[in-house]
Amino acid sequence: MSMQAIKAVASESDRAFALNQALEEKALVPNGYVEKFTHVMEEDFDPTNGARVVARAWVDPEYRALLLKDGTAACDVFGYTGAQGEYIVALENTPTLQNVIVCTLCSCTAWPVLGLPPDWYKSFEYRSRVVRESRSVLREMGLDLPESVEIRVWDTSAETRYMVLPFRPEGTEKWSEEQLAAIVTKDVLIGIARPEIGVTNPAHSS
Amino acid sequence: MDGIHDLGGVQGFGRVRHRKNSDTYTPVFHAPWEPLGYSLLFLGAAELQLFTIDELRHAIERMVPQQYLSSSYYDRIVVGVASLFVEKGAITQARLEELAGGAFPLALPTGPGLPAEPEKEPLNVGDAVRVHNAFFSGHTRMPGYVRGKRGVVVHRTTDKWPFPEAAGHGLSCEPKSTYHVQFDTKELWGEAADEATVVVDLWGGYLDKV
């Protein structure tokens, strides 16, 4: 028997730091590399970016046309391209079509536009079920759509990265772009919610 | 690779533990070690060019199923990245275990990659296609639930990328467009599904015009 068979598995945290240390010992980690990339993931990749794109598309027909024709170019107007956001396609909702995004094989998401994927999006439950039982899954998560609305699920299985372009709710005719962006939440951009007046991204309670 | 990661359509999982707009998306990471997986992935892929993101996806698929199913998401990234750094000869598993103070199980090898994507005629939007009824023991980006199924092309990408069956094994090959192919859930799972459409982003190498 090898020693490996009887050694207890080290904790997730101990193994992650061991990997970093092993690479540092070989001088493979440039100074500040992890800190810099962590900052990009925490601060630069954010769903308020996608919200800004949607709000602009709602008020500017030319920009909307660009977003639907060439999502990458439209997102690049704001600088929202980069790692895991190099070929972006916007999916246009209508009152009778709801687009929903998933990655059944892992967790692929348009990072620069939507932010890193949340835990539930990466869960086995969402990955296995939303392609097959989309209407039931959405209902369980609080989006109960009438039968007249077609649900179209997009499995992110190659290099295309998607964002949902929701339709603009009634009662927002006089709103500014900033007001509009506030009701385009992370879940709206993934497609498991529709924009609602008064519903914004939940604040972090610290 | 018909692994446990290929979860689309698998039955028996419970409710998604989320209600729309109920969670804050910050903080992005919940423990100090969590950003290490992605950071060291991009170090290895973009900075050192030791491996590709496709190889990372495949390394995670190569974890034994029990380990895959019982690990957290970010732990799977750490195990995948560690496996690649060890396989490329940059570090050793023995040193990882010394530093971690315990076992550090890594991914296991599977079948070899394909050197190139099969040559096919380009497809157009509106074409009816059937996904190959083919099996492959290495990395693939064809979810099992579309194998042998009929769909319609709704988009051809203007950018091109190498075939995952090659790139996932560190082989280079000519980049090609992918196709957004729309399927009816009836075609995929008969009556045992909610009525809807599913669009899968597929390389032409998986598709035949019908």
Side-chain angles (χ1 to χ4, degrees):
Chain A
M1 281 304 275
S2 68
M3 283 300 289
Q4 208 181 324
I6 54 164
K7 235 188 297 178
V9 176
S11 72
E12 293 181 331
S13 174
D14 286 347
R15 283 183 286 110
F17 285 116
L19 172 61
N20 189 45
Q21 204 179 331
L23 294 168
E24 278 180 350
E25 284 178 351
K26 299 280 182 183
L28 291 172
V29 190
N31 232 342
Y33 187 87
V34 170
E35 293 74 10
K36 203 170 150 194
F37 198 72
T38 302
H39 181 84
V40 170
M41 292 189 286
E42 287 180 329
E43 305 294 330
D44 298 351
F45 298 159
D46 197 281
T48 56
N49 297 346
R52 217 160 284 139
V53 169
V54 168
R56 176 66 55 87
W58 278 347
V59 301
D60 179 345
E62 256 179 67
Y63 184 80
R64 179 193 184 83
L66 175 67
L67 179 63
L68 292 172
K69 184 169 171 279
D70 185 345
T72 321
C75 289
D76 209 33
V77 166
F78 292 96
Y80 304 149
T81 53
Q84 295 299 303
E86 287 147 325
Y87 188 87
I88 300 165
V89 168
L91 308 169
E92 186 182 20
N93 280 357
T94 69
T96 56
L97 174 68
Q98 178 68 31
N99 294 288
V100 184
I101 305 166
V102 65
C103 172
T104 63
L105 294 167
C106 41
S107 65
C108 298
T109 308
W111 288 0
V113 191
L114 271 61
L116 293 195
D119 289 340
W120 63 264
Y121 179 94
K122 302 180 286 193
S123 72
F124 300 144
E125 290 83 0
Y126 187 70
R127 286 170 52 192
S128 63
R129 292 184 60 210
V130 80
V131 278
R132 184 160 172 171
E133 303 173 71
S134 49
R135 196 172 295 273
S136 311
V137 169
L138 293 186
R139 192 184 300 123
E140 287 167 15
M141 289 196 286
L143 183 63
D144 196 359
L145 294 170
E147 290 293 328
S148 56
V149 176
E150 180 195 339
I151 299 173
R152 187 169 298 157
V153 182
W154 298 74
D155 193 349
T156 315
S157 49
E159 296 296 329
T160 309
R161 295 294 173 268
Y162 302 104
M163 61 173 288
V164 171
L165 172 60
F167 60 89
R168 184 173 172 170
E170 277 176 39
T172 60
E173 289 72 18
K174 292 191 175 138
W175 286 23
S176 68
E177 256 180 79
E178 205 180 327
Q179 283 175 299
L180 290 168
I183 60 167
V184 180
T185 64
K186 187 168 176 109
D187 287 358
V188 165
L189 293 165
I190 295 171
I192 63 139
R194 290 180 151 193
E196 293 172 65
I197 292 174
V199 177
T200 57
N201 277 308
H204 173 48
S205 51
S206 54
Chain B
M1 177 185 171
D2 293 316
I4 195 71
H5 67 282
D6 189 2
L7 283 165
V10 171
Q11 294 184 297
F13 288 99
R15 290 169 81 105
V16 180
R17 275 165 260 167
H18 177 64
R19 232 174 125 85
K20 69 176 166 104
N21 300 320
S22 65
D23 302 337
T24 170
Y25 59 86
T26 53
V28 172
F29 297 108
H30 301 285
W33 66 271
E34 283 191 345
L36 286 169
Y38 281 157
S39 299
L40 299 174
L41 162 64
F42 278 83
L43 172 72
E47 195 77 14
L48 304 172
Q49 305 201 342
L50 268 181
F51 47 77
T52 61
I53 308 270
D54 298 75
E55 284 179 275
L56 183 268
R57 291 196 187 100
H58 189 42
I60 293 169
E61 293 161 5
R62 293 191 282 109
M63 291 170 70
V64 295
Q66 296 93 319
Q67 186 187 3
Y68 185 97
L69 289 172
S70 58
S71 306
S72 71
Y73 175 82
Y74 284 124
D75 186 46
R76 295 198 294 276
I77 305 288
V78 167
V79 172
V81 173
S83 301
L84 289 172
F85 273 114
V86 169
E87 289 167 9
K88 304 292 178 186
I91 53 173
T92 66
Q93 187 172 18
R95 186 60 184 146
L96 285 175
E97 299 200 326
E98 269 172 34
L99 291 168
F104 198 136
L106 300 175
L108 301 181
T110 61
L114 278 182
E117 179 172 358
E119 273 309 322
K120 292 275 177 77
E121 234 179 277
L123 298 163
N124 294 302
V125 170
D127 283 350
V129 291
R130 186 179 290 281
V131 182
H132 261 195
N133 186 23
F135 294 82
F136 183 61
S137 302
H139 184 55
T140 181
R141 292 298 283 180
M142 184 202 82
Y145 67 82
V146 296
R147 180 182 283 135
K149 303 294 184 180
R150 255 180 93 122
V152 176
V153 174
V154 296
H155 177 79
R156 177 170 74 197
T157 63
T158 50
D159 278 8
K160 297 177 179 193
W161 303 275
F163 201 40
E165 276 74 346
H169 295 260
L171 306 169
S172 58
C173 79
E174 195 198 334
K176 299 271 182 72
S177 290
T178 65
Y179 301 92
H180 299 177
V181 182
Q182 187 171 321
F183 302 87
D184 201 294
T185 51
K186 269 200 179 59
E187 166 75 8
L188 301 174
W189 296 288
E191 295 302 317
D194 289 351
E195 210 174 293
T197 50
V198 178
V199 181
V200 185
D201 194 0
L202 298 166
W203 268 266
Y206 307 134
L207 303 170
D208 285 322
K209 201 170 161 177
V210 291

